[in-house]
Amino acid sequence: MSGDLQITGGGAIAVDPDQMRAVSDRMAAVAARLADAGESVRRAHRVLAATRSASTCVDLSALWVTAQRLADESADLAADAAGTAIMADAFELADLRAEQEMLSTRRPTEADRLQTRIDELLASNEQLDTMALTLTSAWHASSTTGLFDQSLDSIAWGAYSMHAALPMRMLVGMLRDGTAAAGTVPRGTVITGAAPPVAVRRVSTSSVTGSAVTLTQLVTRLPGGAAQVAVEKRTHAGGAVSFVAYIDGTRRMTSGGSDPWDMGSNWDLYVDREQSAAYAATVEALRLAGAEEGARVDLVGYSQGAAIAGAVAMSGMYQTPRVMIVGSPAVPSLGADQTLIRIFHTDDPVGAGLTAGGPAHATGSPQSITVSREYATKNELSSVPSHFRDAYDQTISWADASGDARVRSLHASLRAEAGDIVSVERMEFQATRP
């Protein structure tokens, strides 16, 4: 019931072009040394061939073959080095274009500054343009693998396609283009509008043994029952206090009811980029838990809760060094000091469909992680189960057990923090519209 797990640093380009160039330089250096060695063997062959007694002591034919083999190996490695350098340029070009597109909406001046380097790369090799476009196109296809491929999906989309009088391929393409704009939150985006009226009350308080040290432990601390938000207040050995907010997903598929975690809040935040009732309730829950402006607040969210987590992280209200989003309809553009942990299924109508697979340019710190896989197979009737919590719980447990270097580094960071925490107080909050 699953595809292969993919763990990357996020975005279309999973490698550092500068590191590739460093590898290319080392390959070229070795190629040069092989060429020098081959030339030395050739000189030895010429000297020995001119000596009458040498042919009886040395296999001159084998010596010549060795010289030629060294020359051939040098040429092959030099070609590989040149190819690696070209691929590094293609990766950089694809990444720069993705970053430029992400900046163009809110920070056009910064986007324009990237054009000089883009032009330099394009002028250096006429093949780079096609290579970069191919890389990005392949990434876009892989980031939505299996989306709407199930039998009921096809029936539903086919019926809508007929109703809209649009070809199926065009309809899906329109969806992808529209969600690409809404699903990646550009840098500098600030939630607007006044906070909708919402009442938030604490429904439980408890002590927790230790801080979460794995992805699975983080996601299992999402609230259930009546509470939509849980806040852990962590006291460190030196007396400092930090917080972790856990924000659940949509509870009602209608709008305007007493529960703010509904489709109306989804629309306000995802489409209008305005304060939703659920967003306002989350901020109020943090205030009631004691998190003042500027406090350290890590964020963990699922579905609508993940979109809220991203919006809070981009608001600047708190120090938010770690943000974990699971099945999020929107991907925030975070700073270099904020680690983004994104978990999504490529066939999730919310996590992949509403984000168009997510941004092609990586966001967040170099330690950021993106975990993805295709959840459903043809045995599933619909892509909808790919968004369910139990599906994501399975994917997250696999990521924890993957042995991936990025995940191991995250585990080490979480364990180091947990070792400095002396107590954890957990508060759960329920929000209602008045």
Side-chain angles (χ1 to χ4, degrees), residues 184-414:
T184 297
V185 185
R187 291 179 189 173
T189 299
V190 177
I191 299 302
T192 61
V198 63
V200 180
R201 67 184 184 94
R202 189 190 304 190
V203 293
S204 70
T205 303
S206 60
S207 294
V208 178
T209 303
S211 185
V213 296
T214 66
L215 294 172
T216 297
Q217 289 180 14
L218 285 169
V219 78
T220 54
R221 295 192 182 195
L222 287 164
Q228 304 104 331
V229 181
V231 180
E232 290 180 356
K233 182 179 180 180
R234 309 184 301 179
T235 302
H236 297 254
V241 173
S242 64
F243 301 84
V244 184
Y246 300 89
I247 314 163
D248 199 17
T250 302
R251 299 289 182 86
R252 294 178 61 85
M253 299 304 291
T254 56
S255 301
S258 60
D259 192 333
W261 264 253
D262 62 2
M263 295 305 292
S265 285
N266 269 323
W267 182 273
D268 291 342
L269 192 62
Y270 177 80
V271 177
D272 294 336
R273 304 281 195 238
E274 294 180 352
Q275 283 201 64
S276 66
Y279 176 91
T282 299
V283 174
E284 177 64 8
L286 281 163
R287 187 190 70 80
L288 292 173
E292 299 178 350
E293 189 167 336
R296 173 177 172 171
V297 178
D298 290 357
L299 299 154
V300 180
Y302 162 65
S303 192
Q304 181 178 172
I308 295 170
V312 171
M314 291 184 65
S315 71
M317 286 187 289
Y318 311 104
Q319 298 179 47
T320 53
R322 184 179 296 119
V323 183
M324 179 177 178
I325 57 174
V326 180
S328 179
V331 181
S333 296
L334 300 186
D337 58 347
Q338 296 174 295
T339 294
L340 176 65
I341 306 164
R342 182 189 178 208
I343 318 290
F344 80 102
H345 293 146
T346 62
D347 52 350
D348 176 358
V350 176
L354 292 182
T355 63
H361 179 68
T363 177
S365 75
Q367 291 75 41
S368 294
I369 302 173
T370 294
V371 179
S372 64
R373 72 175 173 117
E374 180 185 0
Y375 172 75
T377 68
K378 294 300 181 181
N379 294 325
E380 297 283 349
L381 294 177
S382 167
S383 293
V384 172
S386 299
H387 185 63
F388 292 168
R389 262 291 306 279
D390 58 352
Y392 275 113
D393 288 348
Q394 183 185 67
T395 298
I396 291 168
S397 70
W398 288 3
D400 274 329
S402 67
D404 180 85
R406 298 176 186 85
V407 177
R408 290 202 310 270
S409 178
L410 176 63
H411 287 169
S413 176
L414 290 169

